[in-house]
Amino acid sequence: MNRLVSVIVPCRNERAYIEAFCASLFAQALPPGWQIEAVIADGQSDDGTAEWLAAHADERLRVIDNPGRIVSTGLNQALQIARGEVIVRMDVHSVYAPDYVAECIAALERTGADNVGGAWRAVGQGGMQRAICAVFQSRWISGGARSRLLDYEGEVDTVYLGAWPRASFERFGGFDENLVRNQDDEHNLRIKKGGGRVWQSARIRSSYSPRASLGALWRQYLQYGYWKPFVMRKHGQSASARHWLPAAYLLALLGGLLLLPWSGWPLALLGLAYGVLLLGGCLSLANQGLAVLLRAPLVIPTYHLAYGLGSLLGWADVLRGAPAGRSRFARLTR
């Protein structure tokens, strides 16, 4: 009897990508004895995505409505009707190796982990998107997150996308629908705190298409920063240093500005410190080409300042006891 793997996919307004994504999904080379189904939760798209999906839905491509319009509600609704013994999450904007699903299944069987995934590899076109990719991938600039290490194999705190045995959701629950961003980090944290294991495999290969402009990148990382304190409040657990530093630097800058009538040294030292970081970050990308190098001085601060400002706004709402995040940070930014 064939075994079933369910691929769950949240999407909204992906008409330019959905056809190629579905073609690559059903071209996946599965292990012997396995079959695949896809459950796509469409967030009420208005660009033709919903119509294309409706025209191509069948037993293998199941389409459901996601009125919540955010990733966590879409994932949970897809989980409710997914029939597979293994659940694999995919996103439309990523490109997957032909053996992606097979390697997810193999990693689960090999490690016995509760969630497995691959590294987060960014690939772009054009000078600005390539610069955004290079900064995203850099250990110097991203704080050493293992999810950016393409050759890393072992236990981690979180993985890109993810693949789970169905029992993981029965044990740890689904995704937190109060979180517009960071719902995957929160779910992995719940697994770890519950005694489970999260595993990153270098054999699980995909590439991600990031934002292509500074404005879109700013809005995205403002959201990432904003929702992180809500995860920390829920679990009463501190984030790593790389999550604290952007907000701490902005607070220090504010302190330097307040001290400016009496002394300019604190602000000058802060500016010098960030200048050294910026120079080092740019030099670490020198092998990426001139187009990337020229844009890096704009891209690097966009990542840091957007995340830091978002974190400060998130902490302000958490500390005043807001039960949920602001609606302005609930809108998807792509």
Side-chain angles (χ1 to χ4, degrees), residues 259-274:
L259 291 173
L260 198 55
W262 297 275
S263 174
W265 280 109
L267 198 60
L269 288 174
L270 288 168
L272 178 63
Y274 194 79

Side-chain angles (χ1 to χ4, degrees), residues 312-324:
L312 291 178
L313 294 172
W315 276 117
D317 286 349
V318 164
L319 293 175
R320 70 181 178 85

